[in-house]
Amino acid sequence: MPDSTLYPQFRLGESRFDQGFFYGRLRHFLDVIDPRTLLVSEYRLRECMNLLDQFKYGTLPAGVTNAQLWEAQKVKQAIIHPDTGEKIPMPFRMSGFVPFGTPVVVGLLLPNQTLASTIFWQWLNQSHNACVNYCNRNATKPAPMSTFFQGYLGAVSSAVTIVVGLNILIKRAEKFSPATRILVQRFIPFPAVASANVCNVLLMRHTELSEGISVLDDRGNVVGTSKLAARHALTETALTRVVLPMPILLLPPIVMAMLERLPLLQKHPRLVLPVHSMVCLCAFGLALPVAISLFPQNSQIHVSELEPEISAATECKILTYNKGL
């Protein structure tokens, strides 16, 4: 067993920051999305996992510090799925969401798009989101790959349908001037992406609603499987998916509309795309940690809100569940 007297500040499998408050969750998820963990080698990952195993079984060598243990846990949590124990592919890790997702956001917000390019960027965005959702799901209960494809097809269909419908309505709106029409078209991706994100989560993880997810007591022991906890988990995740694209898809059009009036960009139109990309990157980097910090990853729920058989199976009043990301 780990010696708590030598490492009183380190908690295996937990966060170094208080997850009961938004600020603590924000600092935690800034660790989770740290893009530097994408550069961690296979050797360094094994080293970190061995260090954590040594702590778990009380065989740590002398001289290991709390800081080293927290860093090792940060690396492991960024790369290894907590339920499956498998490596998450680099583009679909939370630490890779901003670097790999920013080019897609830039494409979504490009002005003067054709119908074909609009459909392409919506498809690419939902393909990336679907893979991220699947790779960071709650995997305490196995789900067939058919569930993944249902969510994927549903998200792509809803995104394309909404964005095409809105584009047709705007093109038929005779009251809009050409400049106003272009500005409004820049905001179209948000309702399409937000609604598709919700469809993506619900369709990909609907088996959790029918089968439930594991709920744990204060010692980490599984008390039972709850459909009501699954409903809470999916509600929180869906709300996160609505909030996430707000600053990403709403702020850049506003900022770019102002910047494009500057003499510098008017004289050098080739600078518009790199400036646009930088604005999207900043908005994405800000929005992601804020959105995923809205709810704790390991949320708590009172037993009175769960099924009667779960209440009867434990004396604990508060249970926890992993909502996924």
Side-chain angles (χ1 to χ4, degrees):
M1 295 297 292
D3 190 342
S4 59
T5 61
L6 292 176
Y7 302 97
Q9 298 176 339
F10 180 73
R11 300 176 300 280
L12 189 64
E14 298 183 22
S15 172
R16 74 180 85 184
F17 306 111
D18 187 352
Q19 297 293 283
F21 299 92
F22 173 79
Y23 181 64
R25 295 195 296 272
L26 179 62
R27 295 183 67 186
H28 168 70
F29 282 114
L30 286 173
D31 267 357
V32 171
I33 69 168
D34 187 347
R36 292 175 297 178
T37 58
L38 295 171
L39 305 176
V40 171
S41 65
E42 188 70 31
Y43 175 80
R44 172 60 178 155
L45 175 61
R46 287 198 302 268
E47 188 178 59
C48 291
M49 295 178 69
N50 288 337
L51 194 66
L52 296 174
D53 285 340
Q54 288 173 333
F55 173 84
K56 181 178 180 179
Y57 297 110
T59 59
L60 272 178
V64 177
T65 64
N66 276 299
Q68 288 175 306
L69 289 171
W70 282 121
E71 182 64 24
Q73 184 149 275
K74 171 183 173 179
V75 169
K76 180 182 178 182
Q77 290 178 337
I79 300 174
I80 303 298
H81 192 285
D83 296 330
T84 65
E86 299 175 356
K87 284 181 66 175
I88 300 173
M90 190 181 295
F92 311 134
R93 297 174 193 168
M94 295 310 296
S95 56
F97 200 42
V98 172
F100 289 94
T102 297
V104 181
V105 172
V106 173
L108 284 169
L109 295 175
L110 288 174
N112 303 318
Q113 293 197 50
T114 64
L115 183 61
S117 66
T118 299
I119 292 174
F120 169 76
W121 288 113
Q122 288 291 340
W123 165 77
L124 190 60
N125 179 58
Q126 289 306 321
S127 296
H128 183 236
N129 285 348
C131 292
V132 171
N133 287 343
Y134 180 78
C135 291
N136 294 279
R137 70 199 185 283
N138 182 316
T140 55
K141 294 289 182 181
M145 283 298 295
S146 59
T147 301
F148 167 75
F149 286 112
Q150 287 175 8
Y152 171 69
L153 293 174
V156 171
S157 300
S158 60
V160 170
T161 300
I162 292 170
V163 76
V164 169
L166 289 175
N167 270 303
I168 292 174
L169 287 175
I170 288 174
K171 287 181 179 179
R172 292 181 177 178
E174 298 177 355
K175 295 181 180 180
F176 290 155
S177 66
T180 303
R181 187 177 290 112
I182 291 174
L183 182 61
V184 172
Q185 283 178 324
R186 284 185 166 183
F187 289 95
I188 285 178
F190 171 68
V193 169
S195 58
N197 284 352
V198 173
C199 290
N200 198 318
V201 170
L202 296 179
L203 289 170
M204 283 186 61
R205 296 175 56 178
H206 72 87
T207 54
E208 294 178 25
L209 294 174
S210 59
E211 299 179 7
I213 59 175
S214 298
V215 288
L216 296 79
D217 60 19
D218 53 5
R219 297 182 180 179
N221 300 316
V222 176
V223 175
T225 301
S226 172
K227 296 178 183 178
L228 295 175
R231 188 183 303 172
H232 280 267
L234 290 187
T235 300
E236 292 172 355
T237 304
L239 286 173
T240 299
R241 292 297 191 271
V242 172
V243 172
L244 176 58
M246 282 184 181
I248 300 172
L249 299 178
L250 297 181
L251 285 180
I254 296 173
V255 174
M256 288 306 300
M258 293 186 293
L259 293 180
E260 286 172 0
R261 298 175 183 173
L262 298 177
L264 177 64
L265 292 185
Q266 290 180 349
K267 291 180 180 179
H268 303 281
R270 292 183 179 179
L271 293 177
V272 172
L273 183 58
V275 170
H276 186 198
S277 302
M278 186 58 63
V279 170
C280 290
L281 178 62
C282 294
F284 206 166
L286 170 68
L288 180 60
V290 171
I292 60 179
S293 300
L294 292 176
F295 304 101
Q297 186 172 2
N298 292 312
S299 296
Q300 294 185 332
I301 187 169
H302 198 278
V303 290
S304 62
E305 299 181 59
L306 300 175
E307 293 84 348
E309 60 269 22
I310 292 180
S311 301
T314 180
E315 295 180 356
C316 294
K317 298 299 182 184
I318 302 294
L319 301 179
T320 62
Y321 59 89
N322 185 342
K323 73 174 181 64
L325 285 173

